[in-house]
Amino acid sequence: MKKTTMQQLLPLKRANRNKRLSPIEQLFADKIDIKEKCRIQEKKISADLVYIRDHAGGLLLSGMSSLIFLPKNANGKPSNKLLTRSDKNPNKSNNWPAIIKGVLPLLWDILQPIAITWGLSKTKSLITRLFSGKK
């Protein structure tokens, strides 16, 4: 029985595969196809990440502005999406509860690492003061 390698199957992959492949050749050809699909998908993902990295500031600002400012309808009137049940009047400019409710998760994501770092530094300084030899 002839031993088939992946190098020998590269021409098979490029061919239109009209001839019948043995099971091992089929596995090698599928492996080559999957590797190529993975490489293409990796290129797409890296392009998306490059776009996000290059436009991170604009994406962050547009996300913040969509949380803060009311979206407009086609009529030019503010939409009721961010309005609470008690504040159904779109002409009212006092919509702070809905704005704060929308911004709170973002603020928590920003403040959580700061609070943890501050707490750890305070705990470290307290422990060093307790166990230090100076009295």
Side-chain angles (χ1 to χ4, degrees):
M1 185 167 146
K2 185 180 173 184
K3 192 173 183 181
T4 307
T5 64
M6 279 185 42
Q7 295 297 331
Q8 293 170 341
L9 284 177
L10 284 174
L12 289 176
K13 181 199 163 292
R14 291 185 190 105
N16 58 7
R17 292 189 184 172
N18 284 339
K19 71 174 196 173
R20 178 94 173 129
L21 299 177
S22 69
I24 190 76
E25 290 174 339
Q26 183 65 39
L27 286 174
F28 279 138
D30 290 344
K31 183 177 180 180
I32 292 169
D33 288 342
I34 290 171
K35 280 187 177 184
E36 184 173 335
K37 288 177 184 176
C38 287
R39 187 183 52 79
I40 291 169
Q41 193 65 28
E42 286 174 358
K43 278 186 179 181
K44 287 179 183 178
I45 290 172
S46 65
D48 290 343
L49 290 175
V50 166
Y51 177 82
I52 290 171
R53 187 188 68 217
D54 291 344
H55 298 89
L59 292 171
L60 181 65
L61 288 177
S62 67
M64 289 294 294
S65 67
S66 70
L67 284 174
I68 294 173
F69 301 109
L70 292 174
K72 303 281 184 187
N73 283 341
N75 307 352
K77 296 180 180 179
S79 131
N80 288 338
K81 288 182 182 175
L82 293 178
L83 298 177
T84 60
R85 290 183 183 173
S86 62
D87 189 15
K88 290 294 183 182
N89 187 358
N91 296 329
K92 247 183 169 180
S93 62
N94 189 5
N95 193 21
W96 289 106
I99 292 172
I100 291 172
K101 185 178 178 183
V103 174
L104 277 178
L106 180 65
L107 286 176
W108 176 245
D109 288 342
I110 293 170
L111 292 177
Q112 187 177 10
I114 297 169
I116 290 172
T117 305
W118 178 80
L120 288 175
S121 66
K122 289 297 179 184
T123 305
K124 181 182 175 185
S125 65
L126 178 68
I127 291 173
T128 44
R129 275 190 282 147
L130 287 174
F131 294 114
S132 67
K134 299 178 184 178
K135 293 203 177 190

